[in-house]
Amino acid sequence: MFERFSRGYYVGRLSIEPTPDAETGAFIQRATHERLNEQLYAAGEGIERTDLPLVMKLETSHFAVDGDSGVPQDTLWVPESLLAETRIETPPTLREVFLAKADRAAQLLRLSGQAV
């Protein structure tokens, strides 16, 4: 689903759709979220959390992504406000999405005031 892109990011293609509940946040399928969290963000020491937000980038916007069991596989739900900042005019649309690597994600979460 995601492959190495650069020193700070992985890249993948997801179907971009508006979040059904207006401004509740960005989501991917829960099982995918947990798998990515475990594979990409786990430090490998003891019990690892798989509920930390993933940090993704769509065009120029970075945002935290949580898991939800209602999201279809290979789909990213984004709030209308975030969708409005993109060049996506007719969702659903298949687009490249960047997933921040662990160190970059931690840095972005700290800068946004979210706990890591």
Side-chain angles (χ1 to χ4, degrees):
M1 173 184 231
F2 283 89
E3 59 188 48
R4 289 178 192 235
F5 176 74
S6 69
R7 202 171 51 136
Y9 295 93
Y10 298 93
V11 66
R13 291 179 65 82
L14 297 174
S15 178
I16 310 301
E17 298 182 15
T19 304
D21 272 340
E23 299 300 317
T24 59
F27 299 93
I28 60 173
Q29 205 281 326
R30 184 179 310 281
T32 301
H33 180 275
E34 290 175 359
R35 188 183 79 247
L36 287 171
N37 206 312
E38 187 175 281
Q39 290 174 349
L40 306 177
Y41 290 2
E45 300 173 8
I47 298 173
E48 300 294 337
R49 288 181 56 185
T50 57
D51 62 341
L52 293 170
L54 299 172
V55 177
M56 292 190 178
K57 179 180 177 185
L58 178 62
E59 294 183 2
T60 60
S61 298
H62 285 90
F63 48 93
V65 177
D66 289 310
D68 185 294
S69 57
V71 180
Q73 187 72 25
D74 298 327
T75 300
L76 173 63
W77 282 352
V78 296
E80 289 284 345
S81 59
L82 179 63
L83 204 53
E85 296 174 11
T86 69
R87 293 183 300 256
I88 298 171
E89 295 177 13
T90 55
T93 301
L94 191 62
R95 286 289 173 96
E96 283 187 342
V97 176
F98 297 92
L99 172 61
K101 291 184 178 180
D103 57 341
R104 180 74 174 137
Q107 176 188 37
L108 291 164
L109 289 171
R110 276 193 307 274
L111 289 172
S112 70
Q114 295 183 32
V116 181

